[in-house]
Amino acid sequence: MDDKLMLMIPGPTPVPERVLSALAKHPIGHRSGDFSKIMAQVIADLKWLHQTQNDVLILTASGTGAMEAGIINFLSSGDRVLVGCNGKFGERWADLCDTFGLRTERITASWGQPLDPDAFRRALEADTQKQIKAVVITHSETSTGVLNDLETINRYVKDHGEALIIVDAVTSLGATNVPVDEWGLDVVGSGSQKGFMIPPGLGFVCVSAKAWKAYETAKLPRFYLDLGKYRKDAAKNTTPFTPPVNLIFALQAALEMMKAEGLDQIFGRHLRLRNAARAAIEALGVPLLVRDAAAASPAITAVEPGHVDSEKVRSVLRQKYDIAMAGGQDHFKGKIFRIGHLGFVSDRDILSAIAALESVLQDLEYPNLPVGAGVTAAAKVIMQW
Ligand SMILES: *Cc1c(COP(=O)(O)O)cnc(C)c1O
């Protein structure tokens, strides 16, 4: 039953009916007063979601476009940047910095391990000449399900004083606390198909006053992604280029749903889903990729089934139960599968997914599988919450 497809991947994530209906409306002129009213509301609501007074700019781009904008607008060729690399996305930002001629220094940890904040502290403390202009951190590393310790790393960036903190919050925003103003995060990038509960196509960049100061002297070329243009037009509740009008309708509806649920409730729900998924996998005796719960992303749980091919698990889940889970990327392909629990995901969804997974592992003759233990453990987390 393809119409019953259940997306348990970390993006695109499931879209609520109310948001789908908003998408289906006839587009309106993006220079109209009606559209400006919607823009005013979504800009205010985006600030609420980011817990900030800073600008939050809306781009027609995926999350990578938002991150590219968030990097190139504030730096010049030859600038020294530290990039945290412990998965696919961190490596992408380092490659992006290389492409633009920045002096990129990778601070690495193996895939599945969190970044070591002390490695950042050492590099920043050693930089007495204040040559490091930015530190780029992927908060929730979606390729492995690691949640990096942004709060601590950011504290070292603040002690350095000069460097900007540029954050990939694509799968942490709307899933866990990212208090932009409280922590003083300079640039925060995200994308619509993740915690926002809307289809792919919009990127968001949140920019601090300190970053705008760097913008004035930054020399990397920029045109479509020149954030100054977006800032100027956002002040008039418009955009410099034609926005995907229907995605803005969807964004308006999704932000209204998020406000009705409340930030603490949203974060609590993601934590519960993560804890339920982890408890279930542990009860089944199947290894979790991220052993330490403190470093586990609230958006995604990676499982390393060892005895069985993870691609086989995924294909049987898809065929028998119409559930899509994500595979491993690069050298993790075939080794892990990833359960997405980001955005419009409920307790019932996680119970269904765990029950189906147990059935598939049983079918694939996973050794010594205590059938039923996963659902029992997940249900316990949910009912005792
Ligand atoms: C999805 C994702 C992105 C953006 O990827 P796009 O395909 O460009 O939307 C960036 N970082 C992380 C951590 C992601 O999960």
Side-chain angles (χ1 to χ4, degrees):
M1 276 180 87
D2 272 349
D3 281 352
K4 273 286 207 185
L5 176 65
M6 182 184 190
L7 280 180
M8 298 291 287
I9 60 175
T13 60
V15 179
E17 295 288 338
R18 212 192 305 176
V19 176
L20 290 172
S21 305
L23 277 166
K25 287 203 288 190
H26 202 284
I28 61 175
H30 64 289
R31 300 295 178 213
S32 66
D34 285 343
F35 190 69
S36 287
K37 272 191 216 137
I38 296 171
M39 282 293 290
Q41 197 199 327
V42 299
I43 290 168
D45 291 351
L46 284 169
K47 290 184 184 191
W48 165 82
L49 178 65
H50 287 75
Q51 306 181 60
T52 192
Q53 305 293 321
N54 291 344
D55 294 298
V56 185
L57 308 169
I58 305 171
L59 310 179
T60 306
S62 75
T64 303
M67 284 302 292
E68 180 163 325
I71 291 171
I72 67 168
N73 276 272
F74 309 106
L75 296 166
S76 305
S77 175
D79 278 354
R80 228 181 124 188
V81 291
L82 304 183
V83 183
C85 293
N86 59 334
K88 180 98 183 154
F89 290 99
E91 288 177 5
R92 181 179 295 178
W93 311 139
D95 291 346
L96 192 152
C97 289
D98 284 345
T99 302
F100 282 93
L102 301 173
R103 262 206 292 153
T104 315
E105 287 166 45
R106 291 162 169 79
I107 295 194
T108 61
S110 54
W111 285 37
Q113 294 296 319
L115 294 168
D116 175 12
D118 264 346
F120 289 86
R121 182 184 55 73
R122 285 192 298 271
L124 289 159
E125 279 179 4
D127 178 36
T128 50
Q129 306 287 313
K130 306 293 177 196
Q131 287 179 333
I132 299 172
K133 298 301 178 197
V135 176
V136 183
I137 300 293
T138 301
H139 190 192
S140 164
E141 179 46 84
T142 313
S143 59
T144 60
V146 164
L147 186 72
N148 285 310
D149 186 357
L150 173 63
E151 187 176 7
T152 304
I153 296 170
N154 177 56
R155 218 174 308 123
Y156 299 139
V157 177
K158 290 286 165 291
D159 290 345
H160 178 271
E162 169 74 21
L164 298 173
I165 178 96
I166 299 178
V167 181
D168 169 349
V170 179
T171 56
S172 62
L173 192 79
T176 191
N177 197 23
V178 187
V180 172
D181 285 3
E182 189 191 322
W183 289 358
L185 303 175
D186 294 305
V187 179
V188 177
S190 59
S192 58
Q193 80 278 27
K194 306 288 175 91
F196 284 90
M197 312 187 288
I198 66 181
L202 292 177
F204 307 94
V205 196
C206 181
V207 182
S208 74
K210 182 176 171 181
W212 283 124
K213 214 167 151 38
Y215 169 90
E216 288 167 18
T217 54
K219 293 194 184 61
L220 287 179
R222 56 198 183 206
F223 187 86
Y224 187 71
L225 295 180
D226 180 347
L227 292 179
K229 297 185 173 106
Y230 292 83
R231 180 192 207 190
K232 201 162 133 268
D233 281 18
K236 296 177 284 177
N237 296 317
T238 185
T239 53
F241 312 109
T242 311
V245 170
N246 291 55
L247 282 174
I248 303 286
F249 296 158
L251 177 63
Q252 181 187 29
L255 286 167
E256 274 170 11
M257 288 179 69
M258 291 173 103
K259 283 207 304 186
E261 187 176 1
L263 277 185
D264 289 342
Q265 285 73 16
I266 293 171
F267 302 156
R269 176 167 53 83
H270 283 86
L271 193 63
R272 185 168 68 245
L273 294 171
R274 181 201 78 173
N275 289 358
R278 288 178 63 86
I281 300 300
E282 281 182 324
L284 289 171
V286 182
L288 290 162
L289 179 66
V290 180
R291 305 291 163 92
D292 177 10
S297 169
I300 182 139
T301 297
V303 183
E304 203 176 3
H307 303 285
V308 298
D309 178 359
S310 63
E311 290 303 293
K312 189 80 193 153
V313 175
R314 291 201 319 122
S315 68
V316 181
L317 267 170
R318 181 70 182 80
Q319 280 159 21
K320 289 282 179 188
Y321 294 105
D322 303 297
I323 297 178
M325 288 189 188
Q329 293 162 290
D330 293 354
H331 61 281
F332 273 5
K333 197 164 175 69
K335 292 210 175 72
I336 63 167
F337 63 87
R338 296 173 297 147
I339 309 170
H341 33 80
L342 174 60
F344 189 55
V345 178
S346 70
D347 295 325
R348 171 164 53 100
D349 294 332
I350 209 86
L351 276 185
S352 307
I354 294 298
L357 184 60
E358 281 191 1
S359 157
V360 170
L361 290 172
Q362 188 181 19
D363 184 60
L364 295 175
E365 297 176 352
Y366 193 90
N368 306 317
L369 190 76
V371 177
V375 171
T376 305
K380 197 168 156 197
V381 169
I382 292 165
M383 297 308 281
Q384 293 183 347
W385 193 260

